[in-house]
Every structure is written in structure tokens, then in C-alpha cells.
Amino acid sequence: MSWRNNGDPGQRRQRAFAVAIMVLVTVGLSVTSAIQEQGGHWRPVNIVQTGTLLFLATAIALGSTTRFSIRYRDPALNDELTMANRASAALWGFWALMLALGVAMLINLRWPLPLQETLPVLIGIGSIIAGARFVMLERRGA
């Protein structure tokens, strides 16, 4: 049976859910290890983990707030509603990033936050909120 077969929708949802859980677990572990104290010395694996986290955040933000796509998209799927949803997602992602920056500044008054460990988390927060908002609006159809 081919993975492109449009058989039982329950199986497709199950596969999509399993992939989403694996991605979320992987991202969670990467975020956790990327924001841990590195002791002043970054090993190559720490640089790769942080770079992967930033790449994933950028991909989520671009996918949910712009028309950017590596593969072909049907122009019928990029209608006015989708563009409005992307604009709303970009707005929510921007304000989530600004709120996270404000909270980080307040925390920094009491405990120093190193930029190398804080920046990936802040970028991730903005892109996750933007992606979640876009998905919510698209599922709702409003």
C-alpha cells in the first residue's frame, strides 16, 4: 500500500499524529539541550543543535507567515482567506516574540541571561506561536 493512497482517513491521521509527536519530542529534547548551560565552551554538537533549532523556527515562521515554499503549491490554496490567516499568524508571532523579549529583559535584571542560550528560545517562541495560530485559523476556516 502506497503512502499516497487516499484510503482510510483514520490511518492518515494516525500517521500524521505519530510523526507530529516524534517531531515534538525531538524538538523538545533539542531545545532542552540547546538552552542548558554550556560551561563557556560550545562543542560542535551544541552548535549543530542550536543551528537546527533556529532552522526549524525559521521554517515554521516562513511557512506560516509567507507564501514561501520549496515545492509547488496549488495557487487555489493561496486564496485571500489563507493570506489573511498568514497575516494574523505573523502578527501573533511578532507580539509573542516581543512579549518574550520583555519577560527576558525583566528576568535579566535579576539573573544574567547569556545571549547564546536565550536567543534560540525567544525565536522559537515567536515561530511556534505564529505556526500554531496559522494552523488554528486554517482548521477553523475563518
Side-chain angles (χ1 to χ4, degrees):
M1 181 165 131
S2 172
W3 64 275
R4 291 183 182 258
N5 189 357
N6 293 334
D8 183 23
Q11 287 180 339
R12 284 194 317 253
R13 269 181 271 171
Q14 237 177 1
R15 273 186 255 130
F17 184 71
V19 169
I21 292 297
M22 286 188 280
V23 167
L24 287 175
V25 167
T26 304
V27 168
L29 291 173
S30 295
V31 167
T32 302
S33 70
I35 64 175
Q36 287 178 351
E37 181 71 30
Q38 304 300 335
H41 185 282
W42 279 51
R43 298 179 309 159
V45 70
N46 300 121
I47 295 169
V48 170
Q49 286 175 335
T50 305
T52 304
L53 176 65
L54 291 174
F55 176 77
L56 181 63
T58 304
I60 291 171
L62 280 175
S64 63
T65 59
T66 66
R67 287 184 175 188
F68 177 77
S69 178
I70 294 174
R71 60 188 176 136
Y72 173 76
R73 271 193 197 164
D74 186 8
L77 296 177
N78 285 324
D79 59 353
E80 293 84 13
L81 180 61
T82 302
M83 291 188 325
N85 290 343
R86 284 192 179 119
S88 176
L91 183 70
W92 277 64
F94 172 77
W95 286 113
L97 176 63
M98 290 295 117
L99 180 65
L101 283 171
V103 169
M105 282 178 50
L106 291 175
I107 291 173
N108 195 36
L109 293 174
R110 179 74 173 116
W111 300 284
L113 295 175
L115 181 64
Q116 286 179 330
E117 296 170 5
T118 308
L119 191 60
V121 175
L122 297 175
I123 292 173
I125 287 171
S127 65
I128 288 170
I129 295 297
R133 175 72 177 169
F134 179 71
V135 167
M136 183 189 74
L137 290 173
E138 284 292 306
R139 288 194 70 173
R140 191 169 57 181

